[in-house]
Amino acid sequence: MSKAGGQLDLSTLPANRVLDILYNRLSGRHQSRRLLLDELSQAAGLSREQCSEVLDELQRRGHVLQQSPMHGVELCPPVRLDPYLIEQGLGTQRIGRSVICFDEVNSTNDIAMSSARQGDTDGLVVTAEKQQAGRGRHGRSWLSPAGSGLLFSVLLLDKPGVLKHEAMTIAAGLAVAEGIEQVCGLSCNLKWPNDVYYQQSKLSGILVETRQLGNQQATVVGVGINVTASPPPGQTSRPATHISLHASDVERNQLLRGVLQRLDFWLYKVMAGQYELLHDTWLPRCGMIHERVRIRCGDRCCEGRVLDVSPLEGLILACDSGQHMQLPAIRSSVLD
Ligand code: BTN
């Protein structure tokens, strides 16, 4: 586990300064990703010995470095998710006030939820390279080989009723679609309630969970994005895809920053009750309007045509029986 945490300016820590320099070399603005140890030490304001110690520290933090006296040092992609890289320049108001990155956990949603009682954890972001028991909606599991995806959960603490489950579900889907689009250039669409698709295949899934804790409500927004791998056909109920099939050089820390920034933006809209804006931005990405669907809601099954999606009531369905139904995301799922 690694954590940047604390109030001090993290960019002043020698390991973070060196990481910054090596990470920026990956951006394509430089001719080479490599720096000779002397160049790196000088750029970071360290002696060669200090720089070597810092490189060891970065490797202990899980970063893969290639080093040779002749060719210098380079940070090898895919870069591990790192609290410092995620928090750097994030510019969010609430989300990402602290970031914890794990190698392996059962579920990042569980870690985030169990942190709710531990002091000032509002806005906490928990990531993992691998989950042993990643959860999807309605008891499904979320499968992602180690290091191949973006697996994270955001914890939000509020008075009960401030963050409506339905609205947060819609907001999270939109944030993920917009984040992927901004960082990777892929135009994503949304399938109610919160599946993110690229073309006809699922790229990301979202699980919003809430719990009442005394006079507070803890909301956990858990997101899984397939970055360099996706489950093969047959392992999932819907065809899945991953970003690197459609876009090159996806860097997960950067992608996570992009999604967190959009989530922070939409979180504030939900807090301000701007549901109409949420609705009007979500709808053009959703190909389900007027489509025929079969929905399971609790132990009922209904079939009909989609009329609308409401950030407060859920899917609005014109059932074949003539009845109009409001189907809340928390109890409903679309049947294929
Ligand atoms: C779905 O498509 O059914 C939702 C999938 C949500 C998966 C993410 S991965 C990170 C977080 N931790 C979990 O256990 N689940 C969510």
Side-chain angles (χ1 to χ4, degrees):
M1 178 189 88
S2 50
K3 181 182 183 335
Q7 295 304 314
L8 77 164
D9 178 2
L10 297 171
S11 65
T12 61
L13 296 179
N16 289 342
R17 279 207 310 271
V18 169
L19 179 60
D20 222 12
I21 295 165
L22 293 173
Y23 180 72
N24 283 324
R25 285 258 148 184
L26 300 178
S27 71
R29 275 181 284 120
H30 297 271
Q31 274 193 334
S32 164
R33 294 170 170 180
R34 289 186 191 156
L35 275 167
L36 293 172
L37 189 59
D38 279 337
E39 294 172 316
L40 182 60
S41 321
Q42 202 176 30
L46 301 170
S47 69
R48 275 175 67 96
E49 292 67 33
Q50 286 169 325
C51 196
S52 297
E53 279 168 26
V54 158
L55 292 173
D56 289 344
E57 184 184 332
L58 288 177
Q59 282 174 311
R60 283 195 299 276
R61 226 154 103 175
H63 291 292
V64 180
L65 302 173
Q66 212 169 59
Q67 302 185 60
S68 88
M70 275 275 282
H71 300 110
V73 188
E74 110 180 58
L75 179 63
C76 301
V79 180
R80 191 194 189 287
L81 292 171
D82 186 283
Y84 172 69
L85 295 177
I86 296 162
E87 287 181 30
Q88 264 299 83
L90 190 59
T92 48
Q93 294 188 64
R94 211 175 141 181
I95 292 178
R97 288 168 60 231
S98 53
V99 178
I100 309 178
C101 299
F102 290 91
D103 282 326
E104 193 162 332
V105 296
N106 273 341
S107 156
T108 53
N109 267 33
D110 291 346
I111 305 273
M113 194 56 94
S114 63
S115 308
R117 290 186 190 276
Q118 294 165 16
D120 183 14
T121 47
D122 177 56
L124 170 74
V125 176
V126 178
T127 76
E129 298 292 333
K130 182 171 170 44
Q131 295 183 122
Q132 280 163 352
R135 276 201 304 284
R137 298 178 70 238
H138 305 293
R140 292 189 285 257
S141 48
W142 183 263
L143 306 168
S144 179
S148 72
L150 202 46
L151 311 171
F152 69 94
S153 302
V154 176
L155 171 66
L156 299 163
L157 297 166
D158 275 286
K159 293 214 171 69
V162 174
L163 298 184
K164 308 248 186 285
H165 188 280
E166 202 69 39
M168 281 311 292
T169 298
I170 298 287
L174 194 51
V176 171
E178 290 180 343
I180 294 175
E181 190 160 314
Q182 285 177 6
V183 176
C184 312
L186 301 182
S187 177
C188 297
N189 45 69
L190 293 161
K191 189 160 177 177
W192 182 84
N194 51 5
D195 285 343
V196 180
Y197 273 65
Y198 180 67
Q199 296 168 345
Q200 302 308 316
S201 307
K202 182 163 163 174
L203 202 55
S204 167
I206 295 156
L207 177 66
V208 179
E209 296 178 311
T210 54
R211 193 172 297 168
Q212 203 74 22
L213 297 171
N215 58 357
Q216 277 197 316
Q217 177 182 295
T219 303
V220 170
V221 180
V223 179
I225 304 177
N226 299 327
V227 180
T228 56
S230 43
Q235 255 191 35
T236 50
S237 57
R238 291 169 185 166
T241 190
H242 50 277
I243 293 178
S244 65
L245 277 183
H246 314 284
S248 53
D249 296 334
V250 184
E251 204 287 301
R252 291 180 309 151
N253 291 280
Q254 187 193 6
L255 176 58
L256 180 52
R257 283 197 303 272
V259 172
L260 295 179
Q261 283 161 353
R262 294 317 295 158
L263 190 58
D264 196 68
F265 174 87
W266 285 113
L267 168 66
Y268 274 82
K269 300 299 170 204
V270 172
M271 284 156 58
Q274 293 188 23
Y275 303 120
E276 211 170 300
L277 180 64
L278 195 54
H279 169 267
D280 293 352
T281 318
W282 202 91
L283 221 58
R285 287 190 187 268
C286 170
M288 292 167 78
I289 304 301
H290 308 308
E291 294 267 296
R292 284 195 62 77
V293 289
R294 272 190 326 126
I295 308 276
R296 188 188 0 232
C297 182
D299 48 16
R300 283 186 65 184
C301 209
C302 15
E303 212 164 327
R305 218 168 274 284
V306 177
L307 291 182
D308 203 356
V309 168
S310 155
L312 287 178
E313 331 294 351
L315 193 76
I316 316 289
L317 193 71
C319 297
D320 293 345
S321 62
Q323 194 190 5
H324 284 190
M325 286 191 78
Q326 295 172 342
L327 302 162
I330 198 161
R331 287 202 306 277
S332 317
S333 59
V334 182
L335 301 169
D336 296 303

